[in-house]
């Protein structure tokens, strides 16, 4: 890793993956005080997927970390616009895509950190 920004983006990716990997009840508890739009989550994940490819080229992630991120990106691409509307808490309960993404995020964290159980991101205050 040769850029301070790379370390920041790596940390951001790992924190977001921790949220995706968490059990549904833990995700919903985390979301209980937030109104997070599903489309925003999808857009963030799509961006992190593209950024992580570059981070791997610069050594911030191992190439072996990328297949699960690519699989997450592929599954996200299958979520149509109608299912991207509304709150993510509702989508977690109703859309099976998130049940498919959860084990991919867990496998990514397991490959990257050795354990998928990570602390959830701290809330960002306005």
């Amino acid at each position: 890793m040769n850029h301070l920004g790379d370390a920041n983006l790596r940390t951001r990716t790992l924190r977001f993956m921790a949220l995706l990997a968490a059990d549904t009840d833990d995700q919903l508890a985390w979301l209980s005080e937030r109104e997070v739009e599903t489309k925003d989550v999808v857009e963030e994940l799509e961006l992190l997927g593209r950024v992580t490819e570059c981070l791997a080229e610069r050594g911030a992630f191992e190439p072996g970390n990328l297949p699960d991120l690519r699989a997450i990106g592929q599954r996200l691409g299958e979520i149509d616009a109608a299912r991207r509307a509304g709150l993510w808490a509702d989508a977690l309960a109703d859309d099976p895509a998130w049940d498919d993404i959860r084990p991919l995020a867990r496998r990514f964290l397991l490959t990257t950190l050795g354990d998928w159980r990570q602390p959830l991101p701290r809330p960002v205050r306005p």
Side-chain angles (χ1 to χ4, degrees):
M1 225 176 329
N2 56 7
H3 297 95
L4 183 58
D6 289 358
N8 185 18
L9 288 169
R10 184 180 194 281
T11 298
R12 184 175 173 182
T13 300
L14 293 171
R15 286 183 180 153
F16 207 85
M17 287 298 124
L19 181 57
L20 287 177
D23 291 327
T24 305
D25 291 342
D26 293 332
Q27 291 170 325
L28 292 172
W30 189 88
L31 288 165
S32 67
E33 298 178 18
R34 299 163 185 82
E35 291 191 2
V36 178
E37 295 286 328
T38 304
K39 69 174 181 56
D40 295 336
V41 173
V42 171
E43 289 171 3
E44 180 75 10
L45 283 169
E46 290 172 336
L47 174 63
L48 288 176
R50 290 188 302 273
V51 167
T52 304
E53 293 281 341
C54 295
L55 291 175
E57 290 174 9
R58 295 197 298 261
F61 284 104
E62 295 295 321
N65 301 139
L66 298 179
D68 294 316
L69 284 178
R70 290 177 184 137
I72 290 170
Q74 182 178 0
R75 188 63 179 104
L76 288 171
E78 297 169 359
I79 300 174
D80 62 35
R83 292 181 9 229
R84 292 181 185 207
L87 295 177
W88 190 38
D90 296 334
L92 284 171
D94 297 335
D95 190 340
W98 299 103
D99 292 332
D100 297 341
I101 290 169
R102 188 172 296 107
L104 296 169
R106 288 178 178 180
R107 204 166 49 208
F108 170 80
L109 290 170
L110 186 61
T111 302
T112 306
L113 301 175
D115 190 357
W116 69 265
R117 292 170 197 85
Q118 301 295 318
L120 296 182
R122 290 184 305 221
V124 177
R125 300 289 177 213

